[in-house]
Amino acid sequence: MKKIMLVLVLLCNVYALDSMSSIPDEQKQVVNRVVKVLQLPANKKSTELVFNKLSDFFSKNWSSHWTTNTTGADSKIKNSQTQICDMTIYNDNRVVNITFVHFKKEKQLFVTIKQYIEAESSLVLELYNKRKKDDAYTIENETDNYAYFQEKGYMSYETHHIKSPVGMVVYESSYILNVE
């Protein structure tokens, strides 16, 4: 009987936990705020869509800020059918810009993520040479200081910028997600 009770208690605890219940409150607050300003449906699917795009960047010493349709005092788009949340997250490893655009009528969310990572120019050059040999990418443009590649079949770009002694890699990905 004790074993049956223990199994039931464990099953209830596992059932009660979902992906959002286990995240820290500060992260939950940011995700819930983004869902609210975008005027997304206040449901588990919307919350998880936003969290899944932000979660990788909630690393050590993160901070964020954003602008929306209602940020400017003179905004004429605050009541638009299209809502925007342009967010920047800073952490110890990178700066990330994430833009969410909610198209209410179409019931879709457009998301663009741009990650900016600085490194020594020799490392960025090494990464550039590796990407140049990768058949999954095409070179879109190349100069003496930068090159950018597109991942074939995706809305995904990778830029390598070198200005010795430092360099930067920018990873950019876009998504179109159904929200209702």
Side-chain angles (χ1 to χ4, degrees), residues 18-55 58 100 102 109 111 177-180:
D18 62 24
S19 62
M20 293 306 297
S21 66
S22 62
I23 68 168
D25 285 340
E26 191 176 16
Q27 294 175 20
K28 241 186 258 186
Q29 289 172 4
V30 169
V31 170
N32 289 337
R33 180 79 193 274
V34 171
V35 168
K36 184 177 179 178
V37 300
L38 287 171
Q39 300 175 9
L40 291 169
N43 59 35
K44 183 178 176 181
K45 180 182 178 183
S46 295
T47 304
E48 286 180 346
L49 284 174
V50 171
F51 176 71
N52 289 338
K53 294 302 174 200
L54 298 175
S55 63
F58 290 137
F100 296 94
H102 179 208
L109 182 64
V111 182
L177 308 168
N178 294 321
V179 292
E180 296 178 45

Side-chain angles (χ1 to χ4, degrees), residues 118-136:
E118 291 180 313
E120 292 182 12
S121 57
S122 59
L123 177 58
V124 175
L125 185 58
E126 183 181 319
L127 292 169
Y128 157 79
N129 285 325
K130 183 178 178 181
R131 183 59 71 221
K132 195 170 182 174
K133 294 176 186 175
D134 189 339
D135 290 337

Side-chain angles (χ1 to χ4, degrees), residues 4-140:
I4 292 173
M5 290 300 288
L6 179 61
V7 168
L8 286 174
V9 168
L10 288 173
L11 286 174
C12 288
N13 285 339
V14 169
Y15 182 75
L17 292 177
D18 62 24
S19 62
M20 293 306 297
S21 66
S22 62
I23 68 168
D25 285 340
E26 191 176 16
Q27 294 175 20
K28 241 186 258 186
Q29 289 172 4
V30 169
V31 170
N32 289 337
R33 180 79 193 274
V34 171
V35 168
K36 184 177 179 178
V37 300
L38 287 171
Q39 300 175 9
L40 291 169
N43 59 35
K44 183 178 176 181
K45 180 182 178 183
S46 295
T47 304
E48 286 180 346
L49 284 174
V50 171
F51 176 71
N52 289 338
K53 294 302 174 200
L54 298 175
S55 63
D56 288 342
F57 313 114
F58 290 137
S59 62
K60 188 176 180 184
N61 294 324
W62 69 272
S63 180
S64 66
H65 69 83
W66 54 80
T67 56
T68 69
N69 293 47
T70 61
T71 300
D74 294 340
S75 175
K76 294 180 181 179
I77 59 171
K78 62 176 78 174
N79 296 318
S80 173
Q81 286 295 306
T82 301
Q83 292 294 308
I84 301 164
C85 181
D86 186 59
M87 171 182 257
T88 303
I89 298 178
Y90 308 91
N91 63 43
D92 287 350
N93 300 317
R94 64 194 70 203
V95 173
V96 182
N97 178 251
I98 305 168
T99 303
F100 296 94
V101 182
H102 179 208
F103 296 93
K104 285 185 192 179
K105 184 178 174 187
E106 292 79 7
K107 299 179 181 178
Q108 289 194 314
L109 182 64
F110 177 78
V111 182
T112 295
I113 301 172
K114 295 177 186 163
Q115 303 178 57
Y116 303 88
I117 305 168
E118 291 180 313
E120 292 182 12
S121 57
S122 59
L123 177 58
V124 175
L125 185 58
E126 183 181 319
L127 292 169
Y128 157 79
N129 285 325
K130 183 178 178 181
R131 183 59 71 221
K132 195 170 182 174
K133 294 176 186 175
D134 189 339
D135 290 337
Y137 290 81
T138 58
I139 295 176
E140 295 293 315

